[in-house]
Amino acid sequence: MGLLQLLKSQFLCHLIICYVFLVSGLIINLLQLCTLPLWLVSKQLARRINIRLAYCINSQMVAALEWWSGTECTLYTDPKSYPLYGNENAIVVLNHSFEIDFLCGWTFCERFGVLGSSKVLAKKELAYVPIIGWMWYFLEIVFCKRKWEEDRRTVAESLQNLRDYPENYWFLLYCEGTRFTPKKHQISMQVAESKGLPKLKYHLLPRTKGFWVTVQNLRGTAAAVYDSTLNFRNNETPTLLGILNGRKYHADLYVRRIPLEQIPEDEAECAAWLHKLYQEKDSFQEHYTETGRYPGPIVSPPRRPWSLINWLFWSCLLLYPLGLLLAQLISSGSMLTILASVALCTAASLGVRWMIGQTEIDRGSSYGNKDVSRNSN
């Protein structure tokens, strides 16, 4: 292990990263709260401000992936589609097999300049997670309860509100509904067998209703669906804790651009189209497993410096007063004050560890671990 790698694995470095993220995130949440009156005066200006504020949070996590861990990201795609990425609204269909697949999605959003404005379809519980969840509220993220009778109307209304969004965005969608695990896969394939659908080897059965509602409400706004399939070289299973420890991974992403007009408007036909798409995604994963690469040429967008610059800005802004405070505490010699400071740092570290825990596969959502009779689209 080199000296730099040894430094990245130290708890003190992790504590500094966590401190910068937590404090800057809470400051940004407060600034977002201050934009509430502006929504009444100029909705579009409030949106543009919140896009920049959201970027300040999201890009810190991207900086951890790209600059701290040094993770490489390779894109396989059609060179003719490449110039359109970042210059149009799009629905991005992602597979959901890794703890950091959302972070890789954000990384490609950053490389094409749409990180601050991009959206996801997220479970309602995430709206209450400090910093990320609160930031998403002001970014007009679409939240759902995973109860179709309630979600159909609320999701449609949220998507309709995005029709006049002032900047290009990607809507990141996990059609499988939950992260892949062997147990969920077994149950999902039982559902596929009961419905006479072809079985999938590397994916869960897609939830078609949410996809159809998304496509229908973004027609005329989104130009295409980006079918995206992610994998990591050497059969690695990356984690956020691994990223925090500075471990380097190599992500490969295969993207196909499918114009939205090619997707059927009828719900049943759209469902059949999505099932066929996932059969194709399964074949791409099979190809990757056998050859170590996806089909097609490599067109890799370069890293941009802005995520690193943003992190350095917040680090300089927040670490200087922290250093002065620590110096005063040490010079004061008060044991009670020092113990209180240690307790505060420990609480901050545990807070970040809890947020990281929400991404871990073995502590993930139980959605999908249901009886076959209840598992339906």
Side-chain angles (χ1 to χ4, degrees):
M1 180 183 291
L3 181 60
L4 181 59
Q5 189 60 40
L6 179 64
L7 180 66
K8 289 181 178 181
S9 67
Q10 298 306 301
F11 175 74
L12 180 59
C13 291
H14 302 167
L15 198 60
I16 291 173
I17 293 173
C18 294
Y19 164 77
V20 172
F21 179 78
L22 283 173
V23 177
S24 65
L26 292 174
I27 291 173
I28 291 165
N29 284 160
L30 180 60
L31 292 174
Q32 289 182 305
L33 187 63
C34 293
T35 67
L36 282 176
L38 184 59
W39 286 83
L40 302 175
V41 180
S42 176
K43 178 181 177 180
Q44 299 296 58
L45 178 59
R47 282 172 155 175
R48 292 181 185 276
I49 291 174
N50 275 285
I51 287 171
R52 272 77 192 166
L53 292 174
Y55 180 85
C56 291
I57 294 177
N58 293 341
S59 65
Q60 289 189 52
M61 300 184 70
V62 171
L65 181 76
E66 291 191 325
W67 299 96
W68 180 256
S69 82
T71 292
E72 299 287 342
C73 298
T74 299
L75 177 65
Y76 293 79
T77 194
D78 180 3
K80 295 180 180 179
S81 299
Y82 184 83
L84 298 174
Y85 298 157
N87 295 312
E88 62 183 3
N89 296 334
I91 301 167
V92 182
V93 175
L94 294 156
N95 58 320
H96 205 5
S97 303
F98 305 97
E99 291 180 8
I100 67 164
D101 46 22
F102 78 96
L103 189 51
C104 292
W106 283 4
T107 297
F108 282 99
C109 287
E110 156 61 17
R111 295 193 180 191
F112 289 102
V114 293
L115 176 61
S117 58
S118 288
K119 319 294 179 191
V120 295
L121 179 62
K123 57 185 178 181
K124 184 68 174 179
E125 293 82 359
L126 291 177
Y128 307 107
V129 176
I131 302 176
I132 295 292
W134 298 347
M135 175 265 292
W136 277 356
Y137 174 80
F138 288 94
L139 201 58
E140 301 173 81
I141 292 297
V142 181
F143 292 105
C144 64
K145 297 180 180 179
R146 290 176 168 173
K147 297 178 180 178
W148 179 243
E149 294 76 14
E150 299 179 37
D151 289 337
R152 181 165 188 160
R153 180 178 57 84
T154 57
V155 169
E157 290 177 354
S158 298
L159 291 169
Q160 285 292 322
N161 289 336
L162 299 178
R163 297 188 69 86
D164 63 342
Y165 209 71
E167 299 189 17
N168 291 326
Y169 63 86
W170 291 355
F171 191 90
L172 281 68
L173 191 61
Y174 296 106
C175 294
E176 293 164 278
T178 186
R179 187 178 285 121
F180 183 101
T181 66
K183 181 180 179 181
K184 293 175 182 177
H185 180 253
Q186 180 183 12
I187 295 173
S188 183
M189 292 308 97
Q190 290 174 7
V191 175
E193 185 176 4
S194 69
K195 294 185 174 183
L197 295 170
K199 292 186 177 182
L200 304 173
K201 186 175 180 180
Y202 301 97
H203 298 84
L204 305 179
L205 206 62
R207 308 272 171 161
T208 61
K209 290 183 178 179
F211 176 77
W212 177 73
V213 167
T214 300
V215 169
Q216 288 302 99
N217 284 278
L218 292 183
R219 286 190 187 275
T221 302
V225 166
Y226 297 166
D227 172 37
S228 307
T229 308
L230 175 72
N231 217 324
F232 288 87
R233 296 185 184 178
N234 304 316
N235 293 318
E236 290 185 304
T237 54
T239 65
L240 273 181
L241 283 177
I243 297 298
L244 197 59
N245 282 314
R247 183 172 177 179
K248 183 176 181 178
Y249 304 101
H250 197 131
D252 286 321
L253 184 69
Y254 179 56
V255 179
R256 294 185 299 165
R257 182 185 182 274
I258 305 170
L260 210 64
E261 57 266 22
Q262 293 184 12
I263 301 174
E265 294 192 27
D266 177 76
E267 183 175 358
E269 292 179 2
C270 182
W273 183 92
L274 184 63
H275 283 301
K276 183 175 183 295
L277 182 78
Y278 267 76
Q279 293 163 33
E280 294 172 354
K281 290 172 75 70
D282 226 45
S283 67
F284 298 147
Q285 284 288 47
E286 184 72 24
H287 184 276
Y288 188 92
T289 300
E290 293 174 352
T291 66
R293 58 165 290 136
Y294 287 114
I298 295 175
V299 188
S300 294
R303 287 189 301 181
R304 305 195 316 162
W306 309 117
S307 61
L308 178 62
I309 291 172
N310 173 73
W311 188 85
L312 291 174
F313 165 77
W314 286 107
S315 297
C316 294
L317 183 67
L318 298 175
L319 290 177
Y320 178 71
L322 177 65
L324 293 179
L325 177 61
L326 291 176
Q328 291 177 358
L329 290 175
I330 294 173
S331 62
S332 70
S334 171
M335 184 58 65
L336 181 62
T337 305
I338 293 175
L339 289 175
S341 302
V342 172
L344 182 62
C345 291
T346 302
S349 178
L350 290 175
V352 171
R353 182 63 185 83
W354 173 79
M355 286 192 285
I356 290 174
Q358 305 310 300
T359 72
E360 294 176 347
I361 290 176
D362 59 356
R363 296 177 59 189
S365 167
S366 61
Y367 187 65
N369 292 334
K370 299 180 180 180
D371 295 336
V372 173
S373 62
R374 297 179 59 192
N375 194 320
S376 65
N377 291 326

